Amino acid sequence: MVTGGAGFIGSNLCEHLLEHDNKVICLDNFSTGRTQNIQHLFGNPNFKLIVGDIRNLADCHKAAAGVDYILHEAALGSVPRSINDPIMSNDVNVSGFLNMLVAARDAKVKKFVYAASSSTYGDSETLPKEEETIGRPLSPYAVTKYINELYADIFYRTYGLNTIGLRYFNVFGRKQDTNGAYAAVIPKFVMKLMQHESPLINGDGSYSRDFTYIDNVIQMNVLAILTENPEAVNTVYNTACGDRTTLKELVNYLKFFLSKYDSKIANVQLVYGPNRIGDIPHSLANIDKAKLLLGYDPQFSVQQGLSEAVKWYWENLK
Ligand SMILES: NC(=O)c1ccc[n+]([C@@H]2O[C@H](COP(=O)([O-])OP(=O)(O)OC[C@H]3O[C@@H](n4cnc5c(N)ncnc54)[C@H](O)[C@@H]3O)[C@@H](O)[C@H]2O)c1
């Protein structure tokens, strides 16, 4: 069962699991998810959509009944959204998460794999980020994601529920939403560039991130489901590429790949603005733990992923 299965990461997971002959239940309330992400799956007899809300325990119980594995992706993403409405972010990301843990426990699922976040590293200046060293959260969103890890650990120790948290680092790729105030940086920049408009860079462009292509994230979810190594369960993993790219480099890669489709994009100028509240200067993951305990072997570098993502946006949104 995939919660948030109509969203960016969740819909890619549903698609991948169905392609590999699994039965998939998708639970989503379509608050940020979209029908178009999953409508091609509606005719598949192995796919079932439950429109419901993780803030409603009955919906969680209904979706989890008879399920072997839960991939919990449903949440309200975005640091700025959580700063604008911390109560809503907490309701979905903390109370909704707790409901899903209770439903997973009651349904006796084999494993509960959940979307954690690199934001949990907060103000820690250590680079690269290693799982055991975190700082203080820098936003309400980061608090919610850290609380998820604490609850997952308690559900293992109290009720014996097997959990794995995947701390995603700036995921990007096909189906990521380009619209709205809370869109992520890569789809936002791609849309601007396709319209020959200047993307706004917060700060001087030197801030860096470990941008992670969706197929690497899918691999981590599958490995987390499949692992039978007792030492690999009931813990968290950096889910990243293990490489960092500055915002300025990122825009230049995007311009390069997009200009293969439209040469005018190479001439679009960049615009710089102030830094955003809650943004850390640099983020880079150490992915050794995932390699060692799960056998993670990311197949897409940032450049390869960007090339794929740009192709998808060009073919689907231009
Ligand atoms: N995209 C990233 O870079 C990134 C980084 C770190 C962590 N994450 C986490 O990964 C997960 C998936 O993120 P995404 O980028 O795919 O976001 P998304 O917004 O595309 O997907 C989230 C999905 O959850 C659904 N949802 C939200 N509230 C719900 C509710 N109350 N009940 C049922 N469904 C609900 C939405 O409709 C949407 O389909 C989230 O938990 C997010 O916090 C994402």
Side-chain angles (χ1 to χ4, degrees):
M1 199 263 281
V2 181
T3 72
F8 159 46
I9 298 172
S11 63
N12 276 291
L13 288 171
C14 288
E15 199 173 80
H16 178 89
L17 292 169
L18 287 166
E19 279 167 7
H20 290 78
D21 293 331
N22 297 285
K23 289 190 173 168
V24 177
I25 296 171
C26 162
L27 172 66
D28 206 296
N29 72 347
F30 291 88
S31 54
T32 60
R34 292 170 301 161
T35 308
Q36 71 211 59
N37 286 343
I38 51 169
Q39 63 192 6
H40 60 296
L41 308 177
F42 290 167
N44 187 325
N46 286 331
F47 182 70
K48 180 174 167 191
L49 170 65
I50 297 179
V51 180
D53 198 308
I54 58 167
R55 289 168 294 181
N56 178 343
L57 182 59
D59 287 351
C60 300
H61 272 130
K62 182 178 164 196
V67 158
D68 290 324
Y69 301 99
I70 293 179
L71 297 178
H72 179 59
E73 309 302 314
L76 287 178
S78 162
V79 164
R81 187 204 309 270
S82 76
I83 291 171
N84 291 341
D85 192 347
I87 291 177
M88 175 74 111
S89 288
N90 190 80
D91 280 349
V92 176
N93 299 6
V94 177
S95 300
F97 186 87
L98 183 56
N99 283 339
M100 275 316 311
L101 280 176
V102 167
R105 177 200 68 188
D106 294 349
K108 299 188 171 46
V109 303
K110 292 178 184 157
K111 220 178 275 161
F112 181 88
V113 178
Y114 63 95
S117 167
S118 61
S119 64
T120 295
Y121 290 103
D123 64 2
S124 160
E125 288 180 1
T126 312
L127 276 185
K129 309 291 182 197
E130 291 181 7
E131 283 84 348
E132 315 318 325
T133 309
I134 61 171
R136 284 194 313 176
L138 289 169
S139 67
Y141 172 74
V143 170
T144 69
K145 287 288 167 177
Y146 181 44
I147 292 173
N148 289 177
E149 295 188 7
L150 299 176
Y151 265 129
D153 183 50
I154 285 299
F155 266 63
Y156 166 65
R157 288 193 280 141
T158 311
Y159 308 111
L161 178 70
N162 283 322
T163 68
I164 291 185
L166 302 179
R167 283 185 190 155
Y168 297 157
F169 279 67
N170 293 78
V171 187
F172 69 95
R174 57 190 178 274
K175 299 176 198 270
Q176 190 170 27
D177 203 354
T178 55
N179 295 312
Y182 302 127
V185 60
I186 290 177
K188 208 161 33 181
F189 283 3
V190 169
M191 286 312 280
K192 282 277 183 193
L193 289 168
M194 287 203 303
Q195 291 155 7
H196 299 166
E197 290 174 13
S198 297
L200 170 69
I201 297 184
N202 297 117
D204 64 3
S206 65
Y207 277 21
S208 64
R209 295 287 179 268
D210 196 333
F211 293 105
T212 308
Y213 187 55
I214 183 67
D215 284 6
N216 296 335
V217 172
I218 292 173
Q219 184 193 139
M220 276 294 283
N221 276 273
V222 171
L223 291 170
I225 288 175
L226 292 180
T227 185
E228 291 186 353
N229 175 0
E231 282 179 26
V233 184
N234 307 311
T235 187
V236 294
Y237 294 94
N238 287 343
T239 298
C241 188
D243 188 12
R244 73 184 157 127
T245 306
T246 66
L247 278 182
K248 202 168 175 185
E249 286 167 340
L250 173 74
V251 185
N252 285 329
Y253 286 139
L254 292 175
K255 283 174 68 173
F256 173 75
F257 289 122
L258 280 164
S259 58
K260 291 182 179 173
Y261 302 96
D262 173 355
S263 59
K264 287 196 186 133
I265 292 176
N267 303 321
V268 176
Q269 299 297 306
L270 314 184
V271 176
Y272 295 87
N275 284 320
R276 283 191 324 183
I277 310 172
D279 266 352
I280 49 161
H282 302 291
S283 183
L284 169 67
N286 179 328
I287 54 173
D288 288 351
K289 183 175 171 184
K291 285 182 172 172
L292 182 72
L293 291 177
L294 294 178
Y296 177 52
D297 180 18
Q299 297 296 301
F300 285 82
S301 67
V302 184
Q303 292 94 322
Q304 286 167 325
L306 289 173
S307 168
E308 292 292 319
V310 160
K311 181 168 182 278
W312 186 87
Y313 282 119
W314 189 266
E315 288 172 355
N316 288 275
L317 297 183
K318 184 63 188 154

